[in-house]
Amino acid sequence: MVIKSQVLKKGRGRETGFWRQGTPILLSRGFLPLEKLRYFCMMSARNHILDTQIEYLKGIGPKRGELLRKELGIHTFGDLLNQYPFRYVDKTKFHNIRELHPNIGNVQLKGVLRRLSVSGQGRRKRLHGRFRDATGVIDLIWFTGIHWLEKSLVVGKEYVVYGRISAFKDQLNIAHPEMEEVNEENTQKAITFAPVYPSTEKLNSKGVESKARRRMMTALFEKISPADIPENLPQKMVSAFKFPSHFSALKDIHFPKNKSVLEAASRRLKFEELFFLQLRLLQLKLGRKQAVKGYNFEKVGDFFNRFFTEKLPFELTGAQKRVIKEIRRDLGTGIQMNRLLQGDVGSGKTMVALMCMLIALDNGYQTAMMAPTEILAQQHFLSISEYVKGLDIQVEFLSGSVKGKKRKDILERLEAGDIHILVGTHALIEDPVQFKNLGLAITDEQHRFGVAQRAKLWKKNTPYPPHILVMTATPIPRTLALTLYGDLDVSVIDELPPGRKEIQTIHRNEGHRLRVIGMMKEQIKLGRQIYVVYPLIEESETLDLNNLQEGYEALSRDFPKPEYQISVVHGRMKAKDKDYEMQRFVKGETQIMVATTVIEVGVNVPNATMMIIENTERFGLSQLHQLRGRVGRGGEQSYCILMTGYKLSNEGKERIQTMVRTNDGFEIAEADLRLRGPGDIEGTRQSGILDLRIADIAKDGRILQTAREVATRILEEDPKLEQPENNPIRQYLAKNKKLLRGWSRIS
Ligand code: ADP
Ligand code: MG
């Protein structure tokens, strides 16, 4: 074991000692021999063995310790323990080389390394091996860590090889296989499920791969005992769910003896993780309800009533009425509201938002509405200004693009309280923006705003934070909502305004192009308008714009002037030109709008009844749903045509089939979550909330539900977790304050 000298000599005056994160753990006046110091360090670490720095584990040392810290964020024994394997390989069988084929996946072979040679230079340098068993020969290949491998691998020796089969020019090979000299352990089938850990190129090249990790885990488990890892769930719960103990679960997740043991461990650890997450979220919610006072909007007054009787252009749907009631109730309790408003595209969330703002105005407060993009913010601004015309309400727009005198004027009037409703982008939460009395803040999130940004809105005010209403532009599955917005109350608009016809969605490919053009002409003859949408992805922006350009030219031939007029809108255009083109379409001067996904949010043209989506396979499901929501806004039958290539991946096919089958945003969101996993759903990544160790929101919905229910019940019965049976929970939470760091910042 080596102790870094700078740690040792950090003492002031004559003190020598050992510090951990700035706190002295062991100090000594005068000289203390290094050996003794080491011993004391070990002893002091015994109290919190899991806090011991990682380099003190047998076989790690400072160099590897540094690597583990840098590459994987593993600082302590506890960190090591808490990084679980992400898969396990069945090492009970050996394959014959003769029977291998390109799609076989991972294989384990036993044989002799016959040859080893280096070829290429610099970055193209690689190491080739030939590996033979009784039935055939296969190539092994490495691109990194060559120096080290060359030294450690021995031609002529017997190895167990593990890796993934791939094919290159009809030749099978394994890239970066794990190599282990044949020994008793790996041939006796002692390990049945070998864990595989997350790793990095760098770690692999330094020889710290799964095998080395397994060795570290063995060393770790020699150091710790069940006493070091106390139970963190009440005994009653452990028995009721037939969970293994906390310690056994950890041991089994790293060293599963068989499949059923592994499953039990993983079930418990998933539950545990989700349970503590939900517990924290519910505590936040509960704590806020007790502690965070809010403005009391006592009355509904003239603004609301005049709007309702004179201005409201349609009858509210039952769902809209219900949700407005729910929100109104919150606003009158004197406790800060934190509510999520979910509703499918076109369900009329904006109207709900507006009517809530009117209640705030009636009580003398200002309101703000924040949208994730400039276009969407503009759209909200325009529709709100239009709705409240004649009601003597000051509505203003603020974004990064509002500058100079205009900006200064807005900021001044805002602070003086002369602006009632401020609509804008995240520019609203910047520091110079000061309200006189912000009573209600609405964010239209499209799951893009992080939790921290939401929190910033709260600080816009004293003495109380404003009431917060979060709207999501696309529905999110219940499980995801419970996690991302688990600290909020939820309202759902589950009803579309009447008279809407289901959009008919049709899948077509290039071979149907003529028929599609025919359908477009029919719609135009009926006086309707059409969107043609092209994907635009940053990485291939130029190529995508070329596609759009070509598409536009082809359309211009099929729909010649002057009979037909076409607008083009894409992200590379100047805002002014974009606006002009958009306006032409909105006014009905053009029949076709060719666009990239800039129209995804915002644009509202009820006369548009057809949308052609090109290269549909390149869009994600929720994006497609969002796009499709741009048609079907009037009373006419609308169509969405999904154009794809001939060849589709399985996932692509499933996405298209889902779109054709249903218009239900919640069903689509579930499918999206299932297909892509939560990590890829827009905006969830930066929230950090889904960086779970083992649970997977997409797959573990049932466990999540249970965890939420159990957490709710426990807090109902014992809000402060004071009962003796809940000791394990309380102690664990106290020790793991880091849990949900992003969230606690809010509270
Ligand atoms: P969302 O933001 O939920 O996608 P919007 O608020 O943009 O939906 O509403 C979509 C369209 O439906 C708008 O044109 C709006 O004026 C209209 N709308 C909203 N509520 C009703 C209603 N109760 N009856 C008829 N039309 C409505
Ligand atoms: Mg909307």
Side-chain angles (χ1 to χ4, degrees):
M1 178 174 52
V2 185
I3 295 175
K4 276 201 168 163
S5 57
Q6 72 256 37
V7 177
L8 291 174
K9 286 178 188 152
K10 222 172 153 186
R12 261 176 269 127
R14 293 164 52 85
E15 291 161 350
T16 320
F18 179 60
W19 276 257
R20 187 182 299 136
Q21 288 160 0
T23 7
I25 287 168
L26 182 86
L27 289 178
S28 142
R29 296 220 158 258
F31 181 70
L32 191 69
L34 205 58
E35 280 315 305
K36 224 171 197 167
L37 196 56
R38 279 186 186 148
Y39 172 77
F40 279 127
C41 288
M42 281 307 294
M43 291 314 289
S44 87
R46 277 228 68 83
N47 294 331
H48 335 261
I49 185 144
L50 293 183
D51 295 333
T52 314
Q53 293 299 310
I54 194 67
E55 61 256 39
Y56 302 130
L57 187 67
K58 195 172 96 192
I60 294 190
K63 261 201 189 140
R64 283 187 161 192
E66 193 58 31
L67 258 177
L68 288 169
R69 260 195 291 273
K70 277 219 178 105
E71 297 290 304
L72 296 172
I74 294 178
H75 295 256
T76 61
F77 286 14
D79 294 339
L80 187 68
L81 185 66
N82 284 323
Q83 271 204 9
Y84 308 142
F86 66 94
R87 66 184 167 88
Y88 300 82
V89 293
D90 184 352
K91 294 230 170 174
T92 50
K93 38 177 191 291
F94 290 104
H95 292 84
N96 288 326
I97 290 179
R98 195 179 48 208
E99 290 156 9
L100 301 180
H101 53 84
N103 299 321
I104 195 166
N106 289 309
V107 297
Q108 179 173 248
L109 308 170
K110 196 172 88 177
V112 178
L113 184 63
R114 302 293 342 172
R115 221 170 36 208
L116 208 55
S117 62
V118 177
S119 67
Q121 287 289 324
R123 283 176 61 205
R124 315 202 56 184
K125 196 166 164 184
R126 58 193 56 181
L127 179 67
H128 288 272
R130 293 282 283 173
F131 188 75
R132 154 168 289 160
D133 71 1
T135 67
V137 186
I138 188 165
D139 284 329
L140 309 177
I141 186 160
W142 292 268
F143 304 100
T144 54
I146 293 173
H147 184 65
W148 181 78
L149 285 160
E150 243 189 316
K151 272 201 306 203
S152 55
L153 294 175
V154 183
V155 174
K157 247 201 180 136
E158 239 194 327
Y159 286 94
V160 171
V161 167
Y162 182 84
R164 190 177 183 79
I165 293 292
S166 52
F168 179 69
K169 291 185 182 159
D170 290 339
Q171 286 274 26
L172 295 186
N173 67 59
I174 307 179
H176 283 261
E178 283 176 39
M179 305 284 291
E180 227 172 301
E181 275 177 42
V182 166
N183 58 33
E184 253 175 43
E185 197 197 329
N186 59 27
T187 44
Q188 255 183 13
K189 306 176 182 178
I191 318 176
T192 45
F193 285 92
V196 181
Y197 291 91
S199 190
T200 63
E201 269 310 308
K202 184 136 187 219
L203 280 170
N204 288 338
S205 74
K206 302 272 183 200
V208 188
E209 12 64 334
S210 283
K211 198 172 40 163
R213 274 292 274 288
R214 292 202 289 273
R215 253 187 259 124
M216 292 176 202
M217 292 315 300
T218 310
L220 180 62
F221 274 101
E222 277 166 14
K223 283 252 164 293
I224 56 178
S225 69
D228 296 315
I229 302 177
E231 187 51 65
N232 57 3
L233 297 175
Q235 205 47 54
K236 236 168 61 186
M237 209 192 285
V238 176
S239 331
F241 287 112
K242 299 196 171 68
F243 283 147
S245 75
H246 191 196
F247 180 82
S248 325
L250 285 171
K251 178 138 198 187
D252 293 342
I253 206 76
H254 289 289
F255 296 105
K257 289 206 182 60
N258 57 49
K259 214 167 180 163
S260 69
V261 162
L262 174 61
E263 273 163 12
S266 119
R267 199 166 56 88
R268 170 181 169 135
L269 293 174
K270 283 176 175 181
F271 176 87
E272 197 185 294
E273 181 165 45
L274 294 169
F275 170 75
F276 283 108
L277 184 72
Q278 290 302 329
L279 199 70
R280 283 293 290 129
L281 289 169
L282 289 166
Q283 278 182 324
L284 268 181
K285 187 164 148 183
L286 220 72
R288 252 185 347 225
K289 290 227 157 127
Q290 283 153 4
V292 184
K293 290 228 170 104
Y295 298 110
N296 190 354
F297 295 176
E298 281 166 357
K299 60 175 184 196
V300 168
D302 274 357
F303 284 128
F304 187 95
N305 288 330
R306 272 190 66 201
F307 178 81
F308 193 77
T309 48
E310 293 168 25
K311 295 274 170 191
L312 190 62
F314 38 67
E315 172 103 10
L316 294 174
T317 64
Q320 283 172 317
K321 284 184 197 157
R322 188 191 69 236
V323 168
I324 292 173
K325 262 193 209 136
E326 283 168 2
I327 295 171
R328 229 200 97 188
R329 206 181 311 128
D330 280 3
L331 298 177
T333 53
I335 292 162
Q336 188 211 16
M337 172 177 80
N338 275 279
R339 193 170 271 281
L340 171 70
L341 175 57
Q342 281 222 66
D344 209 343
V345 195
S347 61
K349 293 185 288 292
T350 316
M351 184 49 71
V352 170
L354 173 64
M355 299 192 63
C356 297
M357 292 200 271
L358 295 177
I359 299 177
L361 301 195
D362 276 336
N363 288 276
Y365 293 97
Q366 293 172 298
T367 66
M369 183 159 183
M370 181 162 82
T373 64
E374 176 112 14
I375 291 182
L376 186 54
Q378 275 280 359
Q379 177 82 27
H380 280 316
F381 171 68
L382 291 176
S383 48
I384 287 172
S385 309
E386 187 63 35
Y387 281 137
V388 303
K389 219 181 233 167
L391 286 181
D392 204 16
I393 292 174
Q394 298 302 312
V395 189
E396 283 295 349
F397 176 81
L398 186 72
S399 76
S401 66
V402 178
K403 294 201 173 88
K405 228 177 108 201
K406 176 90 187 153
R407 184 182 193 87
K408 196 162 156 263
D409 171 60
I410 289 178
L411 294 184
E412 277 169 15
R413 283 166 56 221
L414 193 66
E415 212 165 346
D418 296 340
I419 292 173
H420 297 109
I421 300 178
L422 184 66
V423 184
T425 58
H426 58 264
L428 296 195
I429 56 174
E430 281 158 17
D431 289 334
V433 182
Q434 292 297 333
F435 292 81
K436 177 166 178 245
N437 60 356
L438 179 62
L440 170 66
I442 299 176
T443 65
D444 197 351
E445 289 207 351
Q446 213 190 18
H447 14 140
R448 274 185 202 168
F449 289 117
V451 173
Q453 274 169 310
R454 217 190 298 153
K456 250 184 150 175
L457 263 174
W458 296 39
K459 307 219 173 83
K460 282 275 154 205
N461 239 17
T462 46
Y464 300 145
H467 295 293
I468 303 267
L469 182 67
V470 176
M471 306 196 290
T472 60
T474 36
I476 48 179
R478 187 175 148 70
T479 50
L480 198 57
L482 276 182
T483 310
L484 280 174
Y485 300 103
D487 60 331
L488 308 184
D489 293 310
V490 180
S491 290
V492 181
I493 307 186
D494 49 6
E495 181 186 352
L496 292 180
R500 299 260 172 90
K501 294 207 175 73
E502 281 252 309
I503 300 163
Q504 264 189 42
T505 303
I506 306 161
H507 178 202
R508 290 282 179 260
N509 58 40
E510 224 28 67
H512 305 117
R513 184 62 75 181
L514 276 178
R515 263 161 65 196
V516 172
I517 289 170
M519 289 179 74
M520 292 169 73
K521 290 202 161 144
E522 261 169 49
Q523 288 298 306
I524 294 175
K525 209 183 267 164
L526 291 168
R528 315 273 150 71
Q529 289 164 283
I530 301 172
Y531 296 107
V532 180
V533 184
Y534 283 83
L536 190 138
I537 293 160
E538 255 172 70
E539 295 92 67
S540 51
E541 198 177 333
T542 313
L543 211 74
D544 284 346
L545 284 174
N546 287 345
N547 266 343
L548 177 139
Q549 196 58 36
E550 276 164 28
Y552 168 69
E553 278 158 21
L555 277 174
S556 307
R557 285 192 292 276
D558 291 319
F559 296 87
K561 285 180 190 170
E563 194 183 350
Y564 300 99
Q565 298 289 332
I566 307 179
S567 295
V568 187
V569 174
H570 60 76
R572 283 258 185 100
M573 287 164 70
K574 287 204 192 98
K576 208 178 76 203
D577 301 339
K578 222 171 6 188
D579 238 40
Y580 173 77
E581 287 287 303
M582 209 98 113
Q583 283 309 321
R584 289 213 303 152
F585 187 72
V586 171
K587 287 186 205 142
E589 291 167 16
T590 59
Q591 297 98 338
I592 300 176
M593 170 140 108
V594 179
T596 55
T597 42
V598 288
I599 60 156
E600 183 184 341
V601 285
V603 184
N604 190 11
V605 181
N607 190 44
T609 53
M610 183 175 270
M611 173 170 287
I612 320 282
I613 302 178
E614 300 286 346
N615 296 112
T616 306
E617 62 270 35
R618 291 181 53 200
F619 290 94
L621 256 182
S622 58
Q623 204 182 10
L624 286 172
H625 179 63
Q626 189 71 26
L627 275 171
R628 180 169 61 182
R630 297 300 116 196
V631 295
R633 301 202 141 219
E636 308 299 336
Q637 177 62 54
S638 291
Y639 304 89
C640 177
I641 298 176
L642 308 174
M643 302 295 294
T644 67
Y646 291 102
K647 251 183 134 178
L648 288 176
S649 68
N650 285 340
E651 203 209 296
K653 251 182 238 155
E654 224 184 307
R655 264 179 299 173
I656 308 272
Q657 279 161 5
T658 307
M659 287 298 293
V660 171
R661 183 181 69 237
T662 181
N663 271 290
D664 179 340
F666 285 95
E667 194 179 330
I668 288 168
E670 295 282 355
D672 198 23
L673 181 62
R674 203 178 55 239
L675 287 174
R676 290 200 293 172
D680 283 331
I681 299 223
E682 201 178 349
T684 56
R685 217 162 332 180
Q686 64 266 41
S687 77
I689 193 80
L690 295 177
D691 293 341
L692 299 173
R693 275 179 202 157
I694 184 166
D696 176 337
I697 303 286
K699 294 187 188 125
D700 302 321
R702 294 261 299 276
I703 303 181
L704 173 60
Q705 289 285 359
T706 314
R708 173 91 173 181
E709 282 157 25
V710 174
T712 309
R713 207 178 51 231
I714 286 189
L715 287 178
E716 264 166 23
E717 289 167 6
D718 184 13
K720 292 195 173 145
L721 301 170
E722 289 163 329
Q723 285 165 26
E725 63 174 38
N726 290 328
N727 272 350
I729 300 179
R730 201 183 58 246
Q731 281 158 6
Y732 181 77
L733 283 176
K735 257 203 226 144
N736 292 273
K737 289 236 175 65
K738 276 194 297 188
L739 219 72
L740 285 181
R741 218 173 318 139
W743 289 94
S744 41
R745 225 179 309 144
I746 305 179
S747 57

